[in-house]
Amino acid sequence: MLVVKIGGSIQKDERDFELIANRISQYSSRDRTIVVTSALKGVTNSLIEATENRDKAVEIVSEIYDRHVKLLSKIVDGPEFDNAFKSISKLADELFRIAWSIKVLDEISARVRDYILSFGERMASVTLGAMLRSRKMDAQSYPEPLLVTDDSFGEANVIEDLSAMEARKVLDIPSKIVVVPGFIGKTPTERYTTVGRGGSDYTATLLGKLLGFPEVRLVTEVPGIMTADPRKFPGAKTISRLSLEEAMELAQMGAKRLHPRTFEPMFDRDIRVYIEGLYDEGYTLVQGTCDSSDKLKGIAVLDDLKLISVESTNIVGKIGSAARVMEKAREAGVNIISLSQPASETTIHIVVDSKNAERLSSRLQELRDVDSINVQDASAVSVVGCGLRNKELFREVLREASSFEVASISRGLRNVSATFVVKKDEGFNLAKDLHEVVVKWIN
Ligand code: ASP
Ligand code: MG
């Protein structure tokens, strides 16, 4: 039994669907298969645009509808086409009505936004299911959410026991393959929600856990997770195995735009997760926790950051001064990417996205007892690998980093990552040097 997630970036045209059909047929010949689908390429972005440019909402919806119908006419024939056309048209009707109302009212709530976004994945699951049936595969679409969530629209939290009950419904469907939507959920009162951008990966691993399936395959554009972005680091390679801790750290820091919670469900279940390409052979297997064969695996670079340093000789040793600084970040609605304070307690360093720096630093000006607030361009360069727990390897990494002016070093989950905050113009060179160490140690 396995879960196969089909990404949105690999759902563009007939050729893609040909490859997708082959891949699903290969897996389902072996086992019962739950296929989790993303919306077709670009559809979620278009739906978001409709919620923002409400004037154009109806036009955008009509483009999305046309795209699905056109695609259906190419990849689905006979009676399967008629059925799928009816289902897609019915969904589109519902979506047209919402698009009209947000256009007329020129207003939208977080709840309605999620409702609108849900159509991308719902339409995709109808389309994909029909395509498989049209190829005489034993498949069924179930275009409704299997995840039950709270009502934090846009970034909803899954309620696992209710979701497990809901998810088991697909096991009663007597088809070998069931196609379900990723990314979306519903509240106990049946409102559509979404679990955050890229959420289909997370949906797939979570369904693996809730259904007790041992294997999850995330099929995407690239054949696995790489040691670094190959466009910027020419020696980058595919990582063949990642431990769970390493995968968590890499996903969290933005590797391959995976949903940051993708690997979370694996912590309490023994699940194998493959990240594999549709076009090229190759994959990354994520399984188990750190073992002695794990050395260094990859780097992650965040380079559009600001380092905000709050300096004060008055805050030294005063209980609550760090809390007051952090409270300002909360008030400003700013996410903190990294933070540190030397034991002298004279400075607090906060790293945030560049776009949030101004908002936070102006709030920080309100603090009494602060001597100065400095803001500078920064990069956070991280190395990931269980081998960082090994003294010799850690020393080698530190040696590379020591040629740079490092503002702070921090360690990640179970010490399998190390993040160096440096000036922005040093970020790339540090990353390049650290990547060379990684490539030397990858096995
Ligand atoms: N369609 C959603 C997005 O674009 C979810 C996903 O693709 O995983 O964010
Ligand atoms: Mg996607």
Side-chain angles (χ1 to χ4, degrees):
M1 297 182 293
L2 83 164
V3 179
V4 180
K5 179 247 169 177
I6 304 295
S9 59
I10 52 169
Q11 298 188 51
K12 304 184 297 291
D13 49 29
E14 294 154 84
R15 182 179 156 260
D16 283 349
F17 280 90
E18 182 77 40
L19 295 171
I20 291 168
N22 294 342
R23 190 66 57 93
I24 294 174
S25 133
Q26 178 191 331
Y27 292 137
S28 60
S29 66
R30 227 170 63 195
D31 286 309
R32 170 130 215 219
T33 305
I34 304 297
V35 176
V36 174
T37 183
S38 290
L40 304 189
K41 183 175 171 121
V43 165
T44 304
N45 286 340
S46 302
L47 290 168
I48 290 174
E49 206 200 320
T51 66
E52 286 164 359
N53 287 334
R54 293 184 282 277
D55 256 2
K56 294 212 197 102
V58 177
E59 266 169 77
I60 293 172
V61 168
S62 110
E63 279 162 26
I64 292 174
Y65 173 58
D66 288 349
R67 222 180 117 191
H68 282 83
V69 173
K70 227 179 251 156
L71 181 65
L72 274 180
S73 71
K74 289 184 188 149
I75 61 177
V76 180
D77 15 71
E80 292 306 338
F81 176 83
D82 296 339
N83 288 334
F85 176 72
K86 264 186 223 142
S87 307
I88 292 284
S89 303
K90 197 161 163 248
L91 285 168
D93 257 3
E94 193 182 333
L95 180 55
F96 270 122
R97 272 183 279 132
I98 312 162
W100 270 112
S101 53
I102 62 166
K103 181 177 172 170
V104 173
L105 300 172
D106 192 21
E107 204 173 76
I108 187 139
S109 61
R111 170 161 83 76
V112 175
R113 186 177 184 271
D114 272 4
Y115 183 18
I116 293 178
L117 295 193
S118 76
F119 286 91
E121 269 67 13
R122 287 155 75 202
M123 288 180 163
S125 34
V126 170
T127 308
L128 186 50
M131 186 272 289
L132 298 175
R133 267 199 313 281
S134 156
R135 288 165 183 259
K136 306 287 174 261
M137 290 161 68
D138 180 18
Q140 187 70 46
S141 299
Y142 185 88
E144 287 305 316
L146 295 179
L147 301 180
V148 181
T149 71
D150 67 6
D151 61 0
S152 311
F153 297 102
E155 204 82 44
N157 301 296
V158 173
I159 306 169
E160 291 200 8
D161 48 348
L162 297 181
S163 301
M165 271 167 16
E166 197 61 34
R168 275 188 219 112
K169 286 186 183 165
V170 296
L171 300 180
D172 299 333
I173 299 174
S175 298
K176 191 142 191 214
I177 305 165
V178 182
V179 184
V180 304
F183 180 53
I184 65 173
K186 60 179 180 188
T187 66
T189 54
E190 310 264 322
R191 305 287 192 198
Y192 287 102
T193 57
T194 60
V195 297
R197 291 306 304 269
S200 301
D201 296 315
Y202 175 49
T203 310
T205 53
L206 194 58
L207 286 177
K209 170 180 171 181
L210 299 176
L211 296 170
F213 286 13
E215 185 173 315
V216 177
R217 290 182 172 266
L218 308 176
V219 186
T220 125
E221 246 171 326
V222 287
I225 298 184
M226 301 190 76
T227 51
D229 181 347
R231 287 165 303 185
K232 294 185 194 149
F233 301 89
K237 294 181 179 166
T238 299
I239 307 166
S240 57
R241 185 197 112 87
L242 280 172
S243 72
L244 193 38
E245 297 96 321
E246 293 167 331
M248 278 278 246
E249 293 291 288
L250 278 172
Q252 196 69 35
M253 293 186 292
K256 216 198 87 27
R257 279 178 279 124
L258 284 169
H259 189 281
R261 303 179 69 176
T262 303
F263 301 106
E264 204 183 88
M266 300 172 65
F267 268 95
D268 32 31
R269 283 285 192 294
D270 190 13
I271 305 175
R272 301 183 291 282
V273 176
Y274 292 87
I275 297 145
E276 62 188 47
L278 182 69
Y279 311 114
D280 308 288
E281 270 180 43
Y283 61 82
T284 300
L285 166 63
V286 183
Q287 184 180 27
T289 49
C290 284
D291 67 42
S292 57
S293 68
D294 292 310
K295 302 285 190 286
L296 299 181
K297 301 299 177 68
I299 59 159
V301 187
L302 300 173
D303 59 7
D304 193 9
L305 307 178
K306 298 271 188 199
L307 170 64
I308 303 179
S309 307
V310 183
E311 288 177 11
S312 171
T313 43
N314 288 321
I315 58 176
V316 176
K318 277 195 194 146
I319 289 176
S321 40
R324 275 199 300 281
V325 170
M326 299 314 147
E327 181 59 21
K328 290 292 173 196
R330 198 188 62 82
E331 282 170 23
V334 169
N335 177 50
I336 296 173
I337 290 174
S338 174
L339 64 101
S340 63
Q341 177 190 277
S344 65
E345 303 180 22
T346 46
T347 309
I348 294 174
H349 298 289
I350 308 172
V351 179
V352 298
D353 254 336
S354 282
K355 65 175 194 299
N356 294 331
E358 177 54 41
R359 201 151 32 106
L360 178 56
S361 62
S362 62
R363 285 276 183 154
L364 290 168
Q365 309 285 352
E366 297 165 4
L367 288 171
R368 275 178 291 119
D369 286 349
V370 166
D371 300 337
S372 72
I373 295 171
N374 296 317
V375 181
Q376 51 177 317
D377 292 333
S379 296
V381 181
S382 306
V383 187
V384 176
C386 298
L388 288 170
R389 295 167 170 183
N390 166 301
K391 284 198 197 91
E392 276 76 61
L393 273 180
F394 191 50
R395 194 177 303 134
E396 193 169 338
V397 166
L398 286 180
R399 203 182 306 126
E400 290 303 330
S402 67
S403 332
F404 297 83
E405 201 183 311
V406 176
S408 78
I409 303 177
S410 46
R411 304 297 306 269
L413 180 74
R414 298 181 190 169
N415 276 348
V416 308
S417 74
T419 297
F420 301 91
V421 176
V422 293
K423 288 197 191 112
K424 187 185 166 88
D425 54 13
E426 292 205 307
F428 179 70
N429 287 331
L430 171 59
K432 210 162 71 23
D433 290 357
L434 291 177
H435 185 243
E436 276 166 24
V437 181
V438 167
V439 171
K440 184 172 130 200
W441 282 102
I442 197 156
N443 33 6

